[in-house]
Amino acid sequence: MASDVDTAPLVGRADQLAMLRAALLDDVAQGHTAAVFVTGESGVGKTRLLRETAARLRARGAVVLTGACLDIGDASPLHPLLQALRRLDGDIAASRARTTSAVRGLLQMFAEEKAGPDGAGALLERVSRGLHLIAEGRPLVLVLDDLQWVDRTTRQLLLYLLAGLGDLQLSVLAAVRAESLQGAHPLRRVLTELRRLRSVRVLDLAPLDRAGTEQLAAAVVGRPLGPEAADLVWQRSGGNPFVVEELARDLRDGRDGLSDTLREIFLDRVDALPQHAHQVVHAVAAGVEPVEHWLLAKVVRLPEGELIEAVRAAVAHRLLVSADDGYRLRHRLVAEVLAHELLPAERSVLHRRYAEALTAAPAELHQARLAHHWRLAGEPARALPAAVAAAQEAQRLHGYAEAHRHWSVAVQLADGAAGPGALDVDRGALLGHAAEAAHHCGEHARALALLEELATGAGGLLSCSLRIRRARYLASAGRSAPAEEEYRLVLEDPACTPGERATAAAYLAELLVQMGRYADAGQRAREALQLCSAVEGSVSEVVRASAALGFSEAYLEDPDAGLAVMREALTVAERSGRPDDIACAYLHLAELLTGPLNVIEEGVVVARRGAERVADLGLGRTYETRLLAIATNGLFRVGQWAEAEKVVAAALRHRPSGADAVELLLARCRLSVGYGEEEAADRDLDAVATVLAGGGARHVLPMLTLRAGLAMWQGRHDVARQAVQRGLTESRSDDVAILAALVWHGLRAEAEALASRTVEVDRTAVRRLREAMERVATRSASAARQVRSVVDGFLALCAAELSRIDGRSDPQLWARSALEWDRGNHPYPAAYSRVRQAEALLARRSRTVTAAKLLRQAYEVTQGLGAVPMTDEIRALAGRARIDLQDRTAEPPGRPGTVAEPTSDELAMLTAREREVLAAVAEGLTNKEIGQRLFISERTIGVHVSHIFDKLQVRTRVQASAIFLRQSS
């Protein structure tokens, strides 16, 4: 489908395009020459890069001649130049009569050329003069594709022109297929000579990185790829754009397997190899990469000299990549293609040779590879011990994802393993190990499935220990209610041992903290600690119970005493060395600091430090993501949204599931709602709702609060009302702060409905919200002072919203709200309060100067945050009141639209993220390319660029770039 090729975007080549433009045009002085030779494997995008560069140079006024060499042995002399001249003759407008005449004159010269005594030198001189006439004083660029097939005369012409012998300002851009330059290829000598010239460069065009690969595939498919599909395209393509496009079309069109086009391309490349190189590529394709040289020698069994030559040929043909640690296929697709070219017996022989070589070299023994090769050699009895050893080794090193994979393989092998050498392994034990590893690596649904299989094998009855494990897995999957029930069954079962009841009580206390039921959590934690006193070796239970108790006490009674208990729990956990204990202690400490106690800066530090610690312990997909979600929420509250965006993007690379995913998606959704990215917020909320089928108020209330906030920005006040009213039914939570936030959103929704005049105020809903507000006030009165400070901010907002609903928005109430949030360093709600205060003042037609000042303060905050909906509302309000949001009193004189001389204060006005964006703008990158570099959305980049323009008082990217470059010089 040719149209696909034409419409697919050029991805990941912005830096190369900029370099080519500079090298071939901007940096070439009058009367000088320059050349760039682009090398790379087939399909890497050389032709596309040449075409895009030619178009850009032509748009900048250069005369561009484009031609391609032919793969027909001895092509006609100067064929690519002749082709380029004919194309130019067809494209030139009638208005350029002199150029047309020069082109046709040169073509006529070629047609009449005969061998003569003056030889090739005279021909080259005449060609040079003809090109000089065509250029008419303009820069001339000769673009040649497939230079590996260049004829001898064209090679001579390039040397002649680039040596400056033709008295012509000329640039050459040529593409060379790297794998073709083997042996004594004549172009190798020409390139060697040309490299000596300072004006000649060689650009080795690398494959796309992972982000570029996903972007290109998504453009071809027409939608973002799912994680598994993106992984598959990346692994199979190696970033080769042609291969990426082919694989993406297969995905788009629903084709399974490998397309015939790709299969034939790779088979042709393999078939072109010498015999021994062919054998080497087959062996590496069957191996586990990287394949060390000594291991490859044992498998292919060639003399050392012949093996090295074979490897050299495979590397030169761009099929293998050589590194210090061994050999890899450049494209994993080669392995897929070659797998169908060998007989099963031939594949079995290769795997057996690998296994025997690894077994015979104990110093180099790798159990995972050994299990792989014995299994594919058809020896399950010999593969099983290696799989078990590999799983145990992975667990020892906290590699839980790898351990899960190896235990799963061991389960599969256990059924088929028989004979001498097989381990006497209990299949139930293997299932148990596989389930626990799945839980640790975040595969919670898989862990539950394996546990059910284990229970079925035991007659369908769950023992106390299995019930505890099932409850843990359910809780991690986000199914809090059934998890709580499982723990209760253990505690009420007289057949369970004291140790099992202590474990259930400790885990239940932790679960209750996560559900926001702090009083119940404290009660269960005390029960657990009492049970632990009679059970030796219950360190993990003590850590979890202490963390839950400390959280409960800090929230409900004494923050200092509770924090002391939690810090001691962390110390005990570090001494024990158990990854889960350490992670649990860090999690609850960071959550308490950034949430109820409002010690946000310290809490963010604890969360990030804990994330680094648990990542080292192999819990990146589970606890690290939750700690990073806590850090994200803290950064959001203190107004560091750009940094929060970085943190959440890093955490999402782990692709968490269950409750871990819920925490992270809610954190990202807060940013999306603030930024006004409605589609992204909707997707995250839908995903959270799916996971939280059995969740508690601790997650459900924030989800519904965010749903209400999003709906209000969308003008759907009835949807916001429904979300809040549903949240008010969730009464089993001691966390009055999240309930207070929900109540504020409910009252705000009613006030917005009144202001918009699109939906009637629901007086019944308002009455329920007043009652909920009173409950929050009553319950927070007995809470710790730090907890009350956050709740007081929401109560202040609620009181002010009620004045809006009553039709008399009170500026004093909004001023009090702003003050409350300023005290806690929460810039976003403080800015919202100032907007409403200004609105109330303007409605009373009083203190316009004060209102203008308030709007400017809020505007500065929301612009810095990137809060688009709030910024838009401020602009609309200021526009109606004819208030200029820019303080012009200190503006330097100058004409409108001009760029003022930069001062040190100008860039100081920008946030750190805005400086990063401006630096990228100055490089000439598009918003999409900047987003890829900084791992944030294109829309967010647009917001940052808009803020930069406003702060620097410029209108174009060129003006902004000028300020940055002059300031940075």
Side-chain angles (χ1 to χ4, degrees):
M1 298 172 63
S3 62
D4 287 336
V5 177
D6 295 337
T7 58
L10 183 66
V11 171
R13 303 302 190 205
D15 291 342
Q16 290 85 348
L17 281 170
M19 185 277 281
L20 291 173
R21 187 183 71 185
L24 299 172
L25 192 61
D26 298 344
D27 297 343
V28 182
Q30 186 72 27
H32 289 70
T33 61
V36 178
F37 294 91
V38 181
T39 66
E41 64 181 347
S42 301
V44 79
K46 301 183 297 296
T47 300
R48 178 69 183 278
L49 183 63
L50 262 61
R51 187 165 67 244
E52 294 286 342
T53 303
R56 298 187 182 205
L57 295 180
R58 191 177 290 114
R60 291 174 64 87
V63 178
V64 180
L65 301 173
T66 60
C69 304
L70 295 179
D71 181 20
I72 56 173
D74 251 341
S76 58
L78 297 173
H79 168 79
L81 180 59
L82 282 166
Q83 183 188 53
L85 290 170
R86 294 189 184 107
R87 288 177 177 173
L88 183 62
D89 186 34
D91 294 340
I92 291 177
S95 60
R96 301 202 71 95
R98 290 181 59 187
T99 304
T100 302
S101 175
V103 170
R104 291 177 181 172
L106 193 52
L107 287 170
Q108 183 66 25
M109 185 271 289
F110 282 124
E112 297 174 353
E113 179 68 20
K114 296 179 182 178
D118 49 359
L123 172 65
L124 298 179
E125 175 60 27
R126 288 196 292 275
V127 171
S128 175
R129 286 202 302 270
L131 293 176
H132 196 281
L133 291 173
I134 291 170
E136 293 187 271
R138 293 170 291 167
L140 181 69
V141 182
L142 181 59
V143 179
L144 302 176
D145 201 3
D146 288 323
L147 199 66
Q148 68 276 0
W149 296 323
V150 66
D151 62 273
R152 179 181 178 183
T153 309
T154 303
R155 290 199 303 269
Q156 292 175 336
L157 178 65
L158 290 177
L159 286 170
Y160 181 87
L161 295 175
L162 292 176
L165 300 178
D167 190 25
L168 175 71
Q169 181 180 346
L170 173 79
S171 297
V172 174
L173 173 62
V176 186
R177 190 175 297 177
E179 61 264 31
S180 299
L181 298 182
Q182 306 303 321
H185 195 291
L187 189 59
R188 294 182 67 180
R189 183 175 60 82
V190 174
L191 289 178
T192 301
E193 292 182 27
L194 290 173
R195 278 176 183 263
R196 298 172 184 167
L197 301 175
R198 295 179 60 187
S199 60
V200 174
R201 303 185 195 181
V202 177
L203 169 63
D204 189 11
L205 194 59
L208 300 175
D209 59 15
R210 175 158 187 154
T213 298
E214 291 190 21
Q215 183 185 351
L216 178 58
V220 174
V221 174
R223 64 180 185 280
L225 271 62
E228 292 184 5
D231 265 347
L232 191 60
V233 170
W234 168 246
Q235 291 169 7
R236 296 173 82 195
S237 70
N240 183 287
F242 175 80
V243 180
V244 172
E245 290 185 29
E246 286 292 317
L247 293 174
R249 289 189 194 100
D250 289 343
L251 276 174
R252 181 193 64 193
D253 300 336
R255 289 192 295 268
D256 294 328
L258 198 60
S259 70
D260 292 340
T261 302
L262 284 179
R263 188 178 302 279
E264 290 304 318
I265 287 173
F266 282 113
L267 281 177
D268 285 346
R269 290 176 63 180
V270 174
D271 290 343
L273 291 170
Q275 179 182 356
H276 291 328
H278 194 278
Q279 185 180 350
V280 162
V281 171
H282 272 285
V284 174
V288 177
E289 297 179 346
V291 177
E292 298 89 338
H293 184 81
W294 70 266
L295 184 56
L296 183 63
K298 295 283 187 182
V299 174
V300 298
R301 300 178 180 177
L302 287 173
E304 183 68 9
E306 293 182 16
L307 174 60
I308 290 175
E309 285 304 313
V311 169
R312 189 184 300 279
V315 170
H317 280 74
R318 298 293 178 109
L319 287 165
L320 284 190
V321 176
S322 175
D324 291 341
D325 58 349
Y327 306 114
R328 294 175 173 82
L329 293 172
R330 185 174 287 272
H331 304 287
R332 285 308 304 169
L333 274 177
V334 175
E336 295 182 41
V337 171
L338 296 183
H340 299 285
E341 298 302 306
L342 293 178
L343 296 172
E346 290 176 303
R347 289 197 298 272
S348 180
V349 166
L350 283 174
H351 288 296
R352 180 176 292 277
R353 286 183 181 179
Y354 270 115
E356 289 172 346
L358 289 167
T359 304
E364 298 290 338
L365 188 59
H366 299 283
Q367 296 291 350
R369 298 165 77 184
L370 193 59
H372 170 79
H373 288 301
W374 278 130
R375 179 170 61 85
L376 294 180
E379 296 277 2
R382 303 180 75 172
L384 179 56
V388 171
Q392 292 170 338
E393 179 69 4
Q395 279 190 182
R396 186 181 67 80
L397 298 173
H398 309 302
Y400 296 110
E402 293 78 9
H404 171 226
R405 186 169 63 251
H406 296 316
W407 284 122
S408 298
V409 169
V411 170
Q412 296 170 4
L413 291 169
D415 294 330
L423 280 182
D424 182 15
V425 177
D426 178 5
R427 188 173 184 277
L430 293 178
L431 283 169
H433 286 303
E436 192 67 8
H439 167 66
H440 279 301
C441 72
E443 295 288 347
H444 306 304
R446 175 65 177 158
L448 284 165
L450 288 166
L451 201 64
E452 292 302 322
E453 188 177 349
L454 177 58
T456 301
L461 296 176
L462 284 176
S463 64
C464 293
S465 61
L466 286 183
R467 281 197 181 280
I468 292 172
R469 290 177 69 177
R470 185 168 188 272
R472 288 169 49 221
Y473 300 171
L474 285 167
S476 296
R479 298 165 62 185
S480 304
E484 182 182 0
E485 181 60 25
E486 290 288 352
Y487 286 134
R488 290 188 184 281
L489 289 173
V490 173
L491 290 168
E492 294 168 2
D493 189 346
C496 296
T497 66
E500 290 169 335
R501 288 201 296 275
T503 300
Y507 275 98
L508 177 56
E510 183 193 8
L511 176 63
L512 291 169
V513 166
Q514 294 172 5
M515 296 171 72
R517 292 160 54 189
Y518 306 134
D520 292 343
Q523 180 183 344
R524 289 297 183 183
R526 293 183 181 90
E527 179 184 349
L529 290 171
Q530 185 175 357
L531 288 166
C532 289
S533 64
V535 179
E536 290 188 12
S538 55
V539 176
S540 294
E541 288 77 6
V542 169
V543 168
R544 290 179 183 276
S546 298
L549 179 60
F551 199 113
S552 175
E553 287 188 352
Y555 190 95
L556 299 172
E557 301 172 23
D558 185 345
D560 292 335
L563 275 173
V565 171
M566 297 188 76
R567 294 187 195 280
E568 177 60 24
L570 177 58
T571 302
V572 172
E574 288 283 10
R575 280 202 301 264
S576 76
R578 290 192 74 250
D580 270 13
D581 296 346
I582 296 169
C584 171
Y586 266 115
L587 180 74
H588 293 310
L589 179 57
E591 203 165 27
L592 180 66
L593 290 169
T594 58
L597 298 190
N598 202 36
V599 191
I600 299 177
E601 287 79 2
E602 182 185 353
V604 170
V605 170
V606 170
R608 298 181 91 163
R609 185 190 305 142
E612 292 178 6
R613 180 77 173 95
V614 301
D616 293 339
L617 297 174
L619 300 175
R621 195 180 175 205
T622 52
Y623 281 103
E624 183 190 2
T625 60
R626 295 176 75 173
L627 282 160
L628 290 178
I630 292 170
T632 301
N633 289 332
L635 291 166
F636 176 85
R637 291 186 183 108
V638 297
Q640 296 183 34
W641 289 13
E643 182 64 19
E645 196 172 13
K646 281 185 180 180
V647 173
V648 80
L652 281 166
R653 292 177 193 147
H654 290 297
R655 295 188 201 137
S657 64
D660 311 319
V662 167
E663 298 276 6
L664 209 53
L665 290 173
L666 287 173
R668 184 171 68 174
C669 186
R670 286 185 184 92
L671 286 165
S672 297
V673 172
Y675 284 141
E677 296 177 346
E678 297 175 5
E679 291 183 9
D682 262 326
R683 283 197 303 271
D684 284 346
L685 288 172
D686 288 344
V688 169
T690 300
V691 177
L692 285 183
R698 184 91 182 285
H699 291 134
V700 172
L701 291 189
M703 176 191 73
L704 294 172
T705 300
L706 287 169
R707 175 67 75 188
L710 177 62
M712 278 185 276
W713 286 133
Q714 295 171 326
R716 301 162 63 197
H717 308 301
D718 54 337
V719 174
R721 176 187 295 153
Q722 291 167 11
V724 171
Q725 292 300 316
R726 180 190 157 195
L728 292 178
T729 64
E730 289 280 352
S731 58
R732 298 192 67 191
S733 174
D734 298 320
D735 198 330
V736 288
I738 60 174
L739 180 58
L742 180 78
V743 173
W744 166 49
H745 275 69
L747 291 169
R748 180 182 160 200
E750 298 300 335
E752 297 287 352
L754 178 66
S756 69
R757 300 177 182 176
T758 56
V759 180
E760 289 291 331
V761 173
D762 187 335
R763 294 298 170 180
T764 302
V766 173
R767 177 179 54 78
R768 291 174 181 165
L769 289 165
R770 284 180 183 272
E771 293 170 355
M773 181 179 164
E774 291 170 2
R775 288 199 304 272
V776 167
T778 301
R779 289 165 62 183
S780 67
S782 59
R785 175 180 52 81
Q786 292 90 331
V787 175
R788 289 201 309 275
S789 67
V790 177
V791 176
D792 286 346
F794 284 116
L795 290 175
L797 282 169
C798 290
E801 297 288 5
L802 281 171
S803 74
R804 284 179 78 198
I805 295 171
D806 293 339
R808 50 170 187 82
S809 187
D810 188 340
Q812 291 302 317
L813 290 176
W814 289 114
R816 176 177 162 244
S817 175
L819 181 61
E820 289 286 350
W821 291 110
D822 281 338
R823 285 173 180 163
N825 188 26
H826 292 261
Y828 186 61
Y832 173 82
S833 300
R834 287 191 172 89
V835 173
R836 294 290 170 243
Q837 183 185 356
E839 183 182 54
L841 288 171
L842 292 171
R844 297 184 179 199
R845 303 181 185 276
S846 64
R847 301 174 64 186
T848 306
V849 174
T850 302
K853 181 179 178 181
L854 291 167
L855 284 178
R856 290 190 188 108
Q857 289 174 343
Y859 185 65
E860 183 179 358
V861 170
T862 59
Q863 272 206 310
L865 295 174
V868 175
M870 181 80 75
T871 301
D872 290 344
E873 183 165 342
I874 294 171
R875 284 175 176 153
L877 180 57
R880 291 194 299 272
R882 299 182 180 180
I883 292 174
D884 188 351
L885 292 173
Q886 299 293 339
D887 188 355
R888 307 290 181 179
T889 57
E891 185 178 349
R895 291 174 301 163
T898 62
V899 180
E901 285 299 314
T903 67
S904 59
D905 290 332
E906 282 187 295
L907 294 186
M909 296 167 60
L910 305 182
T911 65
R913 173 65 76 163
E914 287 167 352
R915 282 173 174 268
E916 288 182 287
V917 172
L918 180 56
V921 168
E923 291 180 39
L925 301 186
T926 66
N927 286 0
K928 182 176 289 186
E929 290 165 343
I930 299 171
Q932 291 170 0
R933 175 182 289 186
L934 301 181
F935 301 104
I936 53 182
S937 70
E938 183 181 359
R939 180 171 179 175
T940 302
I941 294 297
V943 172
H944 287 311
V945 171
S946 175
H947 293 167
I948 291 167
F949 285 7
D950 283 344
K951 291 181 179 181
L952 298 183
Q953 297 181 26
V954 297
R955 296 181 179 180
T956 69
R957 298 169 84 92
V958 173
Q959 291 173 335
S961 300
I963 290 178
F964 177 81
L965 294 173
R966 287 156 58 186
Q967 186 75 11
S968 303
S969 61

